[in-house]
């Protein structure tokens, strides 16, 4: 096999996603809507996998974290108290010449609308306005009246839904600090400069966990969660050389944070935030206590009261999705044929195995392949494919990252065995058809690391 992979570009990933039906531009028949996307079958399967692996690590396998699903539209007072109404802003500048808008703090990453394209402000032709603060929250109205009194917001983070439920959950879930509340759900931000495919979008699915701890233990738990989350990203198969941790300096931190570190991934656009881990201190519980009049505090068995401090790991499915595809994308020549292969961790791959009858019109092969597919699909997401040459069917599966293909052939009719083809090594072995289910269960539990060089 000759490796022909060039450093992967975002365009390559966009085109693979489109070709194989992972992700499409949204509202396409109406000309699209800037930076919004719809997920096709394999995209939905991949997102489901990411979400369920996160939930397994953050809730199912722990005694100290419980789940929550709060509303997307909350009482607007929540966003006053949290500081989002006043401070969830980006500085925006308009160019009077090319009529485009840019983030004033990221001009070096933007291109102006005139040809040849330059950085905004780089030529005397650029006529930029003074920066003004632009709030990223989407506004809506609740009820029939559309005035100030009905104004509400689509949540820009899931975290606040957790803080305002602290008292309910702490009492009903019978948990005491240190304990966490985890939530997955859509968040919305009217980003000034969305882009780079799913990396920065206006509607995304956040996976956040707020971990409430005694104030004196916050620093230690911050380190713990940073390590845990980095390990989790490694466990998805992301290559070590593409991951790093970067600590925010004081000027960069959000208004609520006393310490933040980003887990960064080396995307095709450079090192960028994959997940943020923040020490939010007692900021949020204190703010909501003051604004709502409900005491969000902890009373220990000796009657001592304190406001827990909060450690927050927060990530979006979209950022993980892009990182996984970039990390897994691979081109190589096998014999005289080129193939594109997604070397995804088998647990992350949208389809775990393909079942292929070598000659679909042969009734014996077709019946056995169908029966194997029906047995396996009760336990795993698998695919039955009988259209086209076997080589093309393998390549289709390679491109969506299916780790194994079980092929029913002439020999199956004689001895009830099938071949299993490994996506990465292309090695083939024979297995009894009756043992395929157990083999696949085992294979999915095995350790895996990317065969691509670091
Ligand atoms: N509750 C804290 C919070 O929301 P954040 O750093 O603004 O912090 C957390 O966002 C995570 O959400 C980021 O690390 C990133 O994974 C994801 N994220 C933020 N904005 C995003 C966007 N516009 N598109 C996709 N993902 C985004």
């Amino acid at each position: 096999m000759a490796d022909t992979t060039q450093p992967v570009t975002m365009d390559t990933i966009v085109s693979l996603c489109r070709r194989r039906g992972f992700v499409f531009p949204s509202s396409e028949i109406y000309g699209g809507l800037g930076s919004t996307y719809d997920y096709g079958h394999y995209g939905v399967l991949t997102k489901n996998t990411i979400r369920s692996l996160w939930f397994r690590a953050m809730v199912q396998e722990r005694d100290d974290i419980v789940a929550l699903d709060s509303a997307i539209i909350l009482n607007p007072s929540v966003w006053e108290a949290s500081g989002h109404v006043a401070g969830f802003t980006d500085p925006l500048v308009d160019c009077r010449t090319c009529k485009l808008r840019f983030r004033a703090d990221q001009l070096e990453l933007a291109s102006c609308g005139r040809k040849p394209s330059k950085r905004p402000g780089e030529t005397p032709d650029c006529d930029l306005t003074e920066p003004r603060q632009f709030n990223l929250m989407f506004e809506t109205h609740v009820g029939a009246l559309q005035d100030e009194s009905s104004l509400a917001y689509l949540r820009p983070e899931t975290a606040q839904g957790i803080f305002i439920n602290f008292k309910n959950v702490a009492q009903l879930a019978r948990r005491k600090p240190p304990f966490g509340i985890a939530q997955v759900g859509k968040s919305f931000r009217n980003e000034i400069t969305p882009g780079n495919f799913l990396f920065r979008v206006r509607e995304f699915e956040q996976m956040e966990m707020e971990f409430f701890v005694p104030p004196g233990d916050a620093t230690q738990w911050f380190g713990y969660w940073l390590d845990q989350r980095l390990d989790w990203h490694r466990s998805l198969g992301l290559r070590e050389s593409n991951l790093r941790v970067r600590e925010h300096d004081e000027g960069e931190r959000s208004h609520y944070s006393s310490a933040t570190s980003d887990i960064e991934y080396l995307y095709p656009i450079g090192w960028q935030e994959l997940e943020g881990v923040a020490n939010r201190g007692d900021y949020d519980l204190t703010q909501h206590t003051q604004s709502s009049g409900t005491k969000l505090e902890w009373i220990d068995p000796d009657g001592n009261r304190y406001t827990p401090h909060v450690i927050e790991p927060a990530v979006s499915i979209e950022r993980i999705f892009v990182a996984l595809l970039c990390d897994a994308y691979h081109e190589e020549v096998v014999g005289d044929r080129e193939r594109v292969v997604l070397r995804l961790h088998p647990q992350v791959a949208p389809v775990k195995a393909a079942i292929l009858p070598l000659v679909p019109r042969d009734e014996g092969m077709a019946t056995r392949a169908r029966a194997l597919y029906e047995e396996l699909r009760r336990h795993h997401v698998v695919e039955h494919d009988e259209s086209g040459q076997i080589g093309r069917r393998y390549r289709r599966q390679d491109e969506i990252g299916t780790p194994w293909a079980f092929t029913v052939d002439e020999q199956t009719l004689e001895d009830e065995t099938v071949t299993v083809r490994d996506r990465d090594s292309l090695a083939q072995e024979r297995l009894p058809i009756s043992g395929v289910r157990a083999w696949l269960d085992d294979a999915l539990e095995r350790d895996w690391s990317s065969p691509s060089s670091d």
Side-chain angles (χ1 to χ4, degrees):
M1 279 186 277
D3 187 336
T4 53
T5 313
Q6 302 294 319
V8 67
T9 65
M10 211 58 114
D11 286 346
T12 310
I13 298 300
V14 173
S15 121
L16 172 77
C17 283
R18 200 191 167 101
R19 194 165 70 242
R20 286 296 171 217
F22 281 86
V23 183
F24 327 105
S26 182
S27 314
E28 211 178 2
I29 61 170
Y30 289 103
L33 175 70
S35 291
T36 46
Y37 293 92
D38 295 339
Y39 289 81
H41 183 67
Y42 297 126
V44 172
L45 293 176
T46 309
K47 285 213 303 178
N48 285 350
T49 306
I50 296 170
R51 195 184 301 109
S52 76
L53 289 171
W54 185 87
F55 194 84
R56 189 164 92 185
M58 299 298 276
V59 180
Q60 189 181 323
E61 291 180 349
R62 299 190 65 106
D63 296 325
D64 54 359
I65 302 182
V66 294
L68 178 79
D69 187 6
S70 70
I72 285 177
I73 300 176
L74 304 173
N75 186 314
S77 305
V78 170
W79 306 110
E80 302 269 358
S82 66
H84 283 81
V85 170
F88 194 55
T89 55
D90 279 339
L92 173 134
V93 292
D94 290 299
C95 177
R96 296 186 190 94
T97 315
C98 72
K99 311 287 181 224
L100 289 185
R101 293 199 152 154
F102 309 101
R103 267 180 69 165
D105 56 342
Q106 292 187 354
L107 290 180
E108 70 286 359
L109 301 177
S111 301
C112 98
R114 310 219 313 156
K115 301 279 176 244
S117 186
K118 294 263 189 319
R119 301 282 162 249
E122 210 173 51
T123 71
D125 289 346
C126 298
D127 184 6
L128 301 181
T129 59
E130 283 301 304
R132 64 197 157 87
Q133 291 302 322
F134 173 79
N135 196 297
L136 301 187
M137 285 197 292
F138 279 102
E139 294 183 356
T140 186
H141 290 270
V142 176
L145 279 181
Q146 298 228 342
D147 60 16
E148 274 295 298
S149 68
S150 64
L151 181 65
Y153 304 96
L154 302 190
R155 68 178 174 202
E157 62 171 13
T158 64
Q160 298 303 324
I162 297 180
F163 298 129
I164 59 174
N165 276 294
F166 172 77
K167 199 171 166 195
N168 284 337
V169 177
Q171 280 171 356
L172 297 171
R174 290 178 292 113
R175 294 292 196 284
K176 59 177 193 228
F179 81 97
I181 306 176
Q183 162 151 249
V184 180
K186 285 261 170 125
S187 291
F188 303 84
R189 295 183 189 179
N190 196 1
E191 300 278 2
I192 302 170
T193 47
N196 288 311
F197 191 35
L198 302 171
F199 179 81
R200 191 178 304 285
V201 275
R202 295 195 169 106
E203 177 182 335
F204 51 99
E205 198 168 334
Q206 276 190 315
M207 306 193 289
E208 298 197 286
M209 194 278 293
E210 309 302 322
F211 202 71
F212 301 92
V213 303
D217 299 347
T219 305
Q220 175 222 322
W221 280 109
F222 177 77
Y224 169 87
W225 278 110
L226 193 55
D227 291 347
Q228 288 287 309
R229 297 303 303 148
L230 188 57
D231 272 353
W232 184 78
H233 289 290
R234 292 185 184 117
S235 79
L236 298 184
L238 292 178
R239 280 174 278 165
E240 193 67 42
S241 55
N242 290 336
L243 287 167
R244 74 174 189 194
V245 170
R246 189 180 66 80
E247 199 179 324
H248 284 208
D249 60 35
E250 210 178 321
E252 198 186 346
R253 287 201 293 264
S254 306
H255 58 281
Y256 51 73
S257 161
S258 55
T260 297
S261 284
D262 287 344
I263 297 173
E264 293 192 330
Y265 181 78
L266 186 54
Y267 291 96
I269 51 174
W271 286 103
Q272 295 286 338
E273 175 180 354
L274 168 62
E275 169 154 2
V277 180
N279 180 349
R280 297 181 76 124
D282 61 359
Y283 176 82
D284 303 274
L285 294 184
T286 303
Q287 288 293 110
H288 289 302
T289 296
Q290 283 166 3
S291 299
S292 68
T294 299
K295 282 194 174 137
L296 301 176
E297 59 180 12
W298 182 255
I299 307 171
D300 72 19
D302 302 328
N304 301 317
R305 295 166 177 272
Y306 67 88
T307 305
H309 283 209
V310 174
I311 308 302
E312 171 193 75
V315 65
S316 70
I317 292 187
E318 285 74 4
R319 296 253 169 123
I320 299 175
F321 192 104
V322 179
L324 285 172
L325 294 193
C326 294
D327 216 81
Y329 186 90
H330 198 76
E331 289 171 9
E332 62 194 14
V333 176
V334 183
D336 56 357
R337 292 231 167 104
E338 280 178 20
R339 76 164 181 159
V340 168
V341 54
L342 278 188
R343 291 174 164 169
L344 290 167
H345 190 305
Q347 284 186 11
V348 170
V351 174
K352 307 302 180 209
I355 296 94
L356 314 173
L358 184 66
V359 185
R361 53 177 195 286
D362 179 296
E363 207 183 314
M365 290 188 212
T367 315
R368 282 172 177 77
R370 184 85 209 169
L372 179 60
Y373 167 59
E374 283 174 11
E375 181 195 352
L376 295 180
R377 76 176 177 185
R378 284 189 279 134
H379 309 280
H380 302 290
V381 177
V382 292
E383 204 162 270
H384 176 255
D385 187 358
E386 53 180 23
S387 66
Q389 298 284 329
I390 191 74
R392 292 187 62 170
R393 282 184 271 162
Y394 284 143
R395 279 195 296 286
R396 257 201 307 264
Q397 296 298 331
D398 288 342
E399 272 204 332
I400 61 165
T402 307
W404 300 287
F406 300 108
T407 306
V408 175
D409 55 16
E410 288 88 356
Q411 199 179 325
T412 315
L413 307 181
E414 288 159 23
D415 64 5
E416 299 293 332
T417 62
V418 293
T419 57
V420 51
R421 169 192 183 265
D422 184 274
R423 174 199 68 198
D424 298 331
S425 67
L426 295 177
Q428 303 212 8
E429 58 175 303
R430 285 204 86 84
L431 296 175
I433 204 164
S434 58
V436 169
R437 155 86 202 283
W439 187 97
L440 184 57
D441 289 351
D442 267 10
L444 283 166
E445 291 303 316
R446 267 184 238 139
D447 286 343
W448 184 91
S449 63
S450 172
S452 302
S453 54
D454 253 356

